[in-house]
Amino acid sequence: MAINKNKTPMPSQSPGERVKNFNEVPLGYTQEQAVAEAKRCIQCKNAPCVDGCPVEIDIPAFIKMIAEGDFIGAAIKLKEKNCLPGVCGRVCPQEDQCEKVCTLARKFDPVAIGSLERFAADYEQGRGKIKIPEKTKANGKKIAVVGSGPSGLTIAGDLAKLGYKVTIFEALHKAGGVLVYGIPEFRLPKSIVQREVDYIEKLGVEIKPDYVIGKVHAVDELFEMGYDAVYVGIGAGLPMFMKIDGENLNGVYSANELLTRSNLMKAYDDSYDTPVIKAKKYAVVGGGNVAMDSARTALRLGAEKVYNVYRRSRKEMPARDEEIERAEEEGIDFRLLTNPVRIIDNGNGWVKALECIRMELGEPDESGRRRPVPVKSSEFTIDVDVVVMAIGAGANPLLTSATPDIKLNKWGYITVDEKTGMTSKKNVYAGGDIVTGSATVISAMGVARKIARVIHESFKYEK
Amino acid sequence: MYKILEKEDIAPGEKLYVLDAPDIARKAKPGQFVIIIIDEKGERIPLTIADFNREKGTITIIVQEVGKSTMQLGNIKKGEGILNVVGPLGIPTHIEKYGTVVCVGGGVGIACIYPIARGMKEAGNRVISILGARTKDFIFWEDKIKTVSDEFYITTDDGSSGKKGFVSDQLKDIIDNKEKIDLVMTIGPAIMMKVVSETTRPFNIKTVVSLNSIMVDGTGMCGSCRVEVDGKTKFACVDGPDFDAHKVNFNLLNDRQKVYLKEEKEAHKKCRLEERISGNK
Ligand SMILES: Cc1cc2nc3c(=O)[nH]c(=O)nc-3n(C[C@H](O)[C@H](O)[C@H](O)COP(=O)(O)OP(=O)(O)OC[C@H]3O[C@@H](n4cnc5c(N)ncnc54)[C@H](O)[C@@H]3O)c2cc1C
Ligand SMILES: Cc1cc2nc3c(=O)[nH]c(=O)nc-3n(C[C@H](O)[C@H](O)[C@H](O)COP(=O)(O)OP(=O)(O)OC[C@H]3O[C@@H](n4cnc5c(N)ncnc54)[C@H](O)[C@@H]3O)c2cc1C
Ligand code: SF4
Ligand code: SF4
Ligand code: FES
């Protein structure tokens, strides 16, 4: 049978329709589409795709099950390695991971591994009955996990399955980290995150929301409370600003604030109480996924015009191509090679305009990308009501400043032993964005899986 | 759920709540705050911990009903609960033996000043407390604050209790009487804190304010609470809420507190209407 060169396309909401709502953009495969796509997989013996997946999902095996119509089996297979398949199938940068190394990609489109993962996870959920894997007998050891982002959830799930008693302490009132406060509903529905969090709880993990570690309990107190090891997965949630004039005006948001108000606090839904500024013209500064998410959120909040201001060219944008394309389709006005220099006020404490300068690309910098340099006397202004700073995030010092025996690097991220993930403090491990700086969901999960194994090894011989 | 163990009307439109929150009570220190969420659809509301009892595992908050959320809280009864309470947040007020400390509380800030006055007293300071409000009905916790003060004054705008005038007038009198003051702590409306700050500035008296900027997470993640201190941007929730009053940009604080004025007015109207319909008021 000849292989179809192209991926089976996934139906999605049209741009004109979707900017008016917060519903998910891609709609997911039907059973027929999933089976057709699964049949494109040639079941490579060496399965290079598996090496491309940080959590080592047995990709050919789950895809084979979909091809054979055993959708539940496929979901169970996925969850042997990945307790958040519905999330990863949606937000993993597959084009840089599993799909990049898929054998088919040498000549054709790779197999749509992510879309199939999403399909199997959604199918199982749709059937209502979730199979809980058998747990190893309780081993009497207690683990505290700080932060309920993808890395915290993963290590908690893995250790619970191995018989540990795990408690997650989360600062916010909902579990999921960036998955609930950052990534918008139209890319990752919160109901999907919730059901995967529910699954972790069903594995026996206790989740305590509203617990800011470093404030309500110090890390040392967790040991006094009887925990045998602590995993710190607190993410990189410190918003960055440009330190330009006018940045504290009313109408200037960090991306974190806009997204938190909209996602976690559901400000777009009038039945919720959290306010958000609803304005006509927005400028979003930055070129990553966070900037795309902020720009597309602004549109859905009712903005008439949304600019994206980025200092390099389209080629250097760190956002996923797919996200940039969607933003373009939705009508985001890209102002590339443009950098803000100050924010101008309207005399009443509010933003009136953004003054920018044109940039050109010079010699490559340390990151290998060509360094943007300002073009002299090329300043101009864009009239806007709201400016969103989406220029990156740093390490939040709240926990680490209260725990001085955890060593940090010069940017405030936690330094760990590369092999074990252990910090400079005994039996305290760390992983995810708080170690690497802003990265991806799947890399945070991959590291968490490895550290789960290290922790298990370290207790195995102890009695 | 965090249970409301006690509820009391303390002044017109101001209510006291004692919440069952043992983990927070165990750690709370003067100057810290909590963030509460009333129910699934509620917003995150920052409130100072006005008192705490470690043995009983309780914290006390005093809330002025100014808008939709605080009014909705007012309708929740003793014995019922609040969905989320997170804390203690913020850096505790720095308490040490300074010598003479003047604690100035205005409006609902009276509640916030109490644990600080108590802490300062326990640390061996001579404590002078000044409470201020529009009129006498808005003064509360007089006795409580008296017991931790060496000197005690009240000012009201209309003279219905204590001295007629502002807290800053009383403060000025004390300064003019050549009393040696080592620290002034002040909590209240932005305008009051600004005036107190201007009162002490010419005399170089160290003055600390507790800033109530608009907050969301309270953990340094969103930047909503940005304030300007000494020309630098700070996050009130994690770098504060206490700051050196003489370095605070109060105009910015005042502007930023009004960001959601339009949205709040709409919510307020809706809320009043709903209350009228349900016959609550
Ligand atoms: C808007 C946005 C869009 C993104 N889009 C993508 C995408 O499409 N694909 C992708 O792969 N990646 C994406 N990322 C990156 C990805 O979300 C992160 O790399 C990932 O979430 C990191 O996981 P984590 O577990 O390390 O931390 P986080 O997800 O940041 O979770 C950390 C958790 O710890 C909690 N916490 C912090 N301090 C404390 C404390 N002291 N006590 C208790 N709890 C605490 C936080 O509240 C938070 O819930 C995006 C990020 C953002 C912001
Ligand atoms: C650290 C801190 C401690 C505080 N302590 C107390 C206290 O002990 N007692 C008390 O009565 N009030 C306190 N406040 C103020 C209280 O949080 C607000 O009055 C409350 O959030 C108003 O909500 P609302 O929906 O009822 O009113 P709204 O109609 O929404 O707002 C009325 C006004 O309250 C302020 N406000 C609104 N939302 C917030 C928010 N999320 N964060 C901060 N301010 C906001 C704004 O200035 C606004 O104009 C404190 C605020 C902070 C930051
Ligand atoms: S988890 Fe991510 S990398 Fe792994 S198979 Fe799924 S989409 Fe690919
Ligand atoms: S590399 Fe591609 S074709 Fe080969 S097994 Fe993996 S998904 Fe299938
Ligand atoms: S309230 Fe979000 S950073 Fe202070």
Side-chain angles (χ1 to χ4, degrees):
Chain A
M1 194 180 69
I3 299 171
N4 191 339
K5 286 185 192 159
N6 301 318
K7 276 187 185 175
T8 311
M10 189 183 282
S12 76
Q13 283 197 76
S14 75
E17 191 53 41
R18 70 194 188 218
V19 295
K20 297 190 209 119
N21 64 54
F22 272 83
N23 299 338
E24 204 176 1
V25 171
L27 301 171
Y29 280 154
T30 62
Q31 294 184 21
E32 292 71 33
Q33 287 165 335
V35 171
E37 183 60 23
K39 286 187 171 155
R40 291 180 68 230
C41 167
I42 56 173
Q43 295 290 316
C44 312
K45 281 265 146 0
N46 59 340
C49 51
V50 178
D51 296 329
C53 171
V55 294
E56 298 152 19
I57 289 177
D58 189 346
I59 296 171
F62 99 81
I63 293 187
K64 185 153 182 268
M65 290 169 144
I66 295 183
E68 289 166 352
D70 179 9
F71 306 141
I72 295 282
I76 293 170
K77 188 91 219 150
L78 279 165
K79 285 207 267 192
E80 282 174 9
K81 293 289 168 76
N82 180 351
C83 43
L84 312 170
V87 169
C88 292
R90 286 172 167 85
V91 303
C92 237
Q94 295 104 11
E95 65 280 7
D96 286 326
Q97 311 255 280
C98 53
E99 295 183 15
K100 187 180 186 178
V101 288
C102 169
T103 311
L104 287 198
R106 282 188 228 153
K107 281 193 177 159
F108 313 134
D109 279 357
V111 174
I113 302 170
S115 303
L116 289 172
E117 185 173 355
R118 165 185 170 156
F119 168 79
D122 288 4
Y123 181 87
E124 187 195 29
Q125 192 61 35
R127 301 298 295 270
K129 264 209 206 117
I130 303 289
K131 195 171 164 269
I132 305 299
E134 279 185 25
K135 265 179 289 182
T136 326
K137 203 164 100 261
N139 64 13
K141 295 275 178 212
K142 282 171 71 185
I143 311 290
V145 172
V146 186
S148 65
S151 80
L153 290 173
T154 300
I155 200 166
D158 280 7
L159 289 173
K161 280 196 248 173
L162 289 168
Y164 293 80
K165 173 105 195 62
V166 187
T167 309
I168 299 182
F169 295 93
E170 166 56 50
L172 293 170
H173 56 285
K174 281 219 163 68
V178 170
L179 308 178
V180 289
Y181 80 73
I183 305 180
E185 178 77 16
F186 54 84
R187 276 216 294 135
L188 179 62
K190 300 311 143 213
S191 56
I192 304 282
V193 182
Q194 188 56 50
R195 76 181 190 200
E196 299 199 333
V197 169
D198 289 346
Y199 175 72
I200 304 280
E201 284 186 293
K202 287 203 186 100
L203 293 173
V205 172
E206 182 192 15
I207 301 182
K208 289 188 145 209
D210 302 329
Y211 273 77
V212 182
I213 302 304
K215 288 285 175 193
V216 69
H217 299 309
V219 173
D220 283 322
E221 280 172 309
L222 294 173
F223 290 106
E224 287 160 25
M225 287 157 73
Y227 292 98
D228 299 288
V230 176
Y231 176 77
V232 179
I234 55 178
L238 185 78
M240 308 258 225
F241 289 92
M242 293 186 73
K243 301 198 160 66
I244 56 175
D245 269 3
E247 236 175 349
N248 290 336
L249 288 171
N250 286 349
V252 182
Y253 273 140
S254 73
N256 274 0
E257 183 177 358
L258 175 71
L259 294 171
T260 301
R261 286 183 181 276
S262 179
N263 296 320
L264 179 70
M265 306 305 294
K266 302 258 185 296
Y268 64 84
D269 178 341
D270 279 343
S271 70
Y272 284 76
D273 291 335
T274 301
V276 66
I277 303 167
K278 292 192 175 150
K280 290 209 174 78
K281 286 182 263 163
Y282 279 67
V284 175
V285 183
N289 284 323
V290 182
M292 296 307 114
D293 284 346
S294 304
R296 298 172 69 200
T297 295
L299 271 185
R300 285 161 175 79
L301 287 171
E304 287 164 11
K305 182 84 188 168
V306 179
Y307 299 95
N308 175 256
V309 175
Y310 179 55
R311 63 194 179 125
R312 303 181 197 243
S313 73
R314 156 92 197 233
K315 212 173 82 210
E316 286 86 18
M317 281 184 124
R320 289 176 72 185
D321 275 338
E322 189 182 304
E323 300 305 323
I324 303 173
E325 279 157 27
R326 293 215 168 106
E328 278 171 339
E329 285 167 14
E330 290 171 10
I332 304 294
D333 189 343
F334 284 86
R335 297 299 170 102
L336 303 174
L337 287 167
T338 302
N339 205 28
V341 288
R342 73 184 170 114
I343 303 167
I344 301 168
D345 71 88
N346 71 350
N348 276 322
W350 278 83
V351 173
K352 188 176 112 203
L354 183 65
E355 184 177 313
C356 301
I357 189 160
R358 288 194 212 291
M359 308 291 277
E360 58 189 10
L361 293 180
E363 295 299 308
D365 61 14
E366 323 82 71
S367 73
R369 298 180 300 176
R370 291 176 63 192
R371 186 194 300 275
V373 283
V375 179
K376 267 211 182 92
S377 313
S378 65
E379 287 89 351
F380 65 101
T381 58
I382 314 177
D383 283 349
V384 288
D385 313 300
V386 173
V387 176
V388 184
M389 289 296 170
I391 55 167
N396 187 327
L398 196 149
L399 179 142
T400 51
S401 63
T403 322
D405 47 346
I406 293 184
K407 281 218 182 75
L408 310 176
N409 69 15
K410 64 175 169 181
W411 297 282
Y413 294 108
I414 297 179
T415 42
V416 294
D417 177 275
E418 269 189 34
K419 277 212 203 83
T420 61
M422 204 192 286
T423 66
S424 55
K425 193 171 167 68
K426 192 165 174 255
N427 288 335
V428 177
Y429 300 80
D433 282 4
I434 188 58
V435 171
T436 57
S438 303
T440 60
V441 171
I442 196 66
S443 58
M445 293 175 65
V447 164
R449 298 218 68 190
K450 290 209 184 83
I451 298 177
R453 277 187 293 232
V454 170
I455 292 179
H456 190 46
E457 282 300 314
S458 79
F459 286 126
K460 231 160 87 181
Y461 304 105
E462 215 181 82
K463 251 279 114 67
Chain B
M1 269 295 176
Y2 292 77
K3 202 166 166 193
I4 299 177
L5 301 173
E6 298 294 335
K7 181 177 173 186
E8 198 184 311
D9 284 313
I10 199 154
E14 287 171 17
K15 296 195 173 82
L16 171 152
Y17 305 80
V18 178
L19 304 177
D20 180 33
D23 283 342
I24 301 174
R26 214 167 38 79
K27 267 307 180 71
K29 294 214 175 77
Q32 290 190 297
F33 63 97
V34 291
I35 287 184
I36 70 161
I37 305 175
I38 297 175
D39 59 23
E40 188 58 34
K41 297 190 170 185
E43 62 182 324
R44 296 174 67 94
I45 316 170
L47 296 163
T48 306
I49 302 172
D51 202 355
F52 48 85
N53 186 317
R54 298 199 207 283
E55 287 73 47
K56 289 190 186 144
T58 61
I59 59 168
T60 301
I61 51 176
I62 291 186
V63 186
Q64 183 180 20
E65 296 173 2
V66 293
K68 161 118 206 287
S69 302
T70 43
M71 279 165 49
Q72 188 189 346
L73 181 64
N75 288 333
I76 303 178
K77 297 185 187 72
K78 176 176 162 178
E80 294 176 346
I82 294 169
L83 188 57
N84 299 90
V85 181
V86 54
L89 297 171
I91 298 175
T93 298
H94 183 76
I95 290 184
E96 62 170 57
K97 185 160 179 193
Y98 293 91
T100 299
V101 177
V102 181
C103 294
V104 185
V108 73
I110 294 174
C112 315
I113 210 79
Y114 167 69
I116 296 174
R118 181 176 65 185
M120 291 293 180
K121 181 75 196 159
E122 281 166 4
N125 290 289
R126 194 172 118 72
V127 174
I128 303 177
S129 298
I130 308 174
L131 311 185
R134 258 176 292 157
T135 170
K136 85 170 194 305
D137 294 346
F138 291 93
I139 301 281
F140 54 85
W141 277 13
E142 246 183 275
D143 294 342
K144 239 174 128 142
I145 293 178
K146 262 186 198 153
T147 60
V148 297
S149 311
D150 297 279
E151 267 178 52
F152 177 85
Y153 301 95
I154 289 178
T155 67
T156 48
D157 296 3
D158 61 359
S160 54
S161 173
K163 192 172 177 167
K164 182 171 154 84
F166 301 120
V167 283
S168 49
D169 300 336
Q170 181 64 56
L171 178 62
K172 185 77 186 359
D173 282 355
I174 296 172
I175 296 171
D176 289 343
N177 277 337
K178 301 272 181 281
E179 174 104 42
K180 185 179 168 299
I181 300 172
D182 300 286
L183 176 76
V184 173
M185 264 305 309
T186 177
I187 309 182
I191 178 71
M192 183 203 99
M193 293 192 288
K194 185 179 171 179
V195 173
V196 167
S197 164
E198 289 317 314
T199 307
T200 56
R201 191 193 300 273
F203 303 95
N204 252 328
I205 300 171
K206 183 175 169 173
T207 304
V208 174
V209 282
S210 174
L211 301 184
N212 52 346
S213 54
I214 292 187
M215 296 186 177
V216 184
D217 60 304
T219 66
M221 184 269 277
C222 75
S224 166
C225 60
R226 302 201 293 290
V227 292
E228 213 176 273
V229 184
D230 207 10
K232 292 190 200 75
T233 297
K234 300 274 175 195
F235 290 180
C237 69
V238 284
D239 300 325
D242 288 0
F243 293 100
D244 179 342
H246 297 148
K247 295 185 173 153
V248 170
N249 180 343
F250 284 102
N251 295 340
L252 182 75
L253 177 72
N254 193 40
D255 280 345
R256 285 188 63 81
Q257 282 179 341
K258 293 185 200 140
V259 172
Y260 297 106
L261 218 54
K262 203 175 96 206
E263 284 84 2
E264 281 152 8
K265 271 202 191 118
E266 280 160 20
H268 198 79
K269 252 187 277 162
K270 213 169 95 192
C271 168
R272 283 277 182 215
L273 196 69
E274 277 163 12
E275 276 191 1
R276 237 177 290 146
I277 293 168
S278 64
N280 236 324
K281 241 175 210 162

